[in-house]
Amino acid sequence: MARFAIVKNHLYLVDYASLKYFDIADALSPSYEGTIKIEEGIETVFSYGDRLFIGSMSGVHIFDIANPQSPQPISVYRHIVACDPVVVSGDYAYATLRSAGCRQWGADLLDVIDVSDISNPVNVKSLPMTGPYGLGVSDTLLFVCDGSRGLLVFNIKNPADPVLFNQIDAVHGYDVIPLPERKTIIVTGAKGIYQYDYSDPYHIQYLSAVHVE
């Protein structure tokens, strides 16, 4: 569900098998710059600093965008075949793997990946999930949409060892967008879009919703 990333004056877009990039310095007249073929099963893209982390059904592809007009592949973290969104904070990336709707032999996991050596990403932990979708990170908090379990909130003060400490089971979320400056999260779900205040992460407060049929 996160197929776009904007970094400075460039837009990066992933489709099923490739990365496309555009110059958007002139917002009214974006300019297509190129396409990089990656592999089939590409699903999400997440930007962090001068890096793009691209999730696929079989791994996480890392690109260098220090030169935004010429993305360069750095490395690939491989995992079992499953749907795979990914986010990054500091030296660690977090990827959810979901079997439902992807491959019948997949798994339902939250993978913790050490990316301190960007050329050699390494899995350091995998936590069992029910049916995870999107995820978001804000400082020492990791939010994970886990299907019927609702929205899970992890403490990542120790980034290699996420600790589950809160859960909002009232919403079946597909994706979560933290807004750190406002201490709110936006959750998209099966029945609408929800907004919560997480200024006290132990007592997350419902704010509003837009419901859809």
Side-chain angles (χ1 to χ4, degrees), residues 69-142:
Q69 296 176 323
S70 180
Q72 297 296 316
I74 300 174
S75 58
V76 182
Y77 163 74
R78 289 295 180 188
H79 56 60
I80 59 175
V81 176
C83 292
D84 173 25
V86 58
V87 297
V88 184
S89 179
D91 289 335
Y92 289 85
Y94 303 92
T96 53
L97 313 184
R98 187 181 78 256
S99 59
C102 293
R103 296 288 190 274
Q104 63 181 1
W105 58 85
D108 297 294
L109 299 169
L110 170 64
D111 269 2
V112 182
I113 308 158
D114 184 338
V115 293
S116 56
D117 180 355
I118 202 67
S119 64
N120 184 35
V122 177
N123 174 271
V124 294
K125 190 165 190 174
S126 294
L127 301 176
M129 297 279 114
T130 298
Y133 285 80
L135 68 172
V137 64
S138 174
D139 193 22
T140 59
L141 299 175
L142 176 68

Side-chain angles (χ1 to χ4, degrees), residues 1-15:
M1 297 183 185
R3 290 189 173 269
F4 300 86
I6 293 176
V7 183
K8 297 179 182 177
N9 289 325
H10 279 76
L11 168 67
Y12 300 93
L13 176 155
V14 293
D15 60 20

Side-chain angles (χ1 to χ4, degrees), residues 38-206:
I38 304 176
E39 66 179 7
E40 292 188 355
I42 298 299
E43 296 182 325
T44 62
V45 59
F46 183 87
S47 65
Y48 189 80
D50 288 334
R51 306 278 191 261
L52 291 179
F53 293 79
I54 298 173
S56 79
M57 288 185 179
S58 60
V60 177
H61 298 258
I62 304 174
F63 281 77
D64 187 314
I65 53 170
N67 179 354
Q69 296 176 323
S70 180
Q72 297 296 316
I74 300 174
S75 58
V76 182
Y77 163 74
R78 289 295 180 188
H79 56 60
I80 59 175
V81 176
C83 292
D84 173 25
V86 58
V87 297
V88 184
S89 179
D91 289 335
Y92 289 85
Y94 303 92
T96 53
L97 313 184
R98 187 181 78 256
S99 59
C102 293
R103 296 288 190 274
Q104 63 181 1
W105 58 85
D108 297 294
L109 299 169
L110 170 64
D111 269 2
V112 182
I113 308 158
D114 184 338
V115 293
S116 56
D117 180 355
I118 202 67
S119 64
N120 184 35
V122 177
N123 174 271
V124 294
K125 190 165 190 174
S126 294
L127 301 176
M129 297 279 114
T130 298
Y133 285 80
L135 68 172
V137 64
S138 174
D139 193 22
T140 59
L141 299 175
L142 176 68
F143 302 93
V144 180
C145 297
D146 192 25
S148 61
R149 291 174 72 192
L151 182 69
L152 309 183
V153 187
F154 292 84
N155 183 321
I156 53 171
K157 286 183 179 179
N158 177 355
D161 186 24
V163 176
L164 178 64
F165 71 94
N166 200 355
Q167 179 176 351
I168 303 173
D169 55 12
V171 57
H172 182 160
Y174 293 149
D175 203 5
V176 55
I177 303 170
L179 304 175
E181 67 282 359
R182 293 168 49 189
K183 295 297 183 183
T184 60
I185 52 174
I186 297 173
V187 182
T188 60
K191 296 183 179 180
I193 301 172
Y194 307 84
Q195 187 173 208
Y196 294 88
D197 182 321
Y198 70 90
S199 52
D200 179 356
Y202 287 89
H203 301 91
I204 294 176
Q205 300 295 315
Y206 167 84

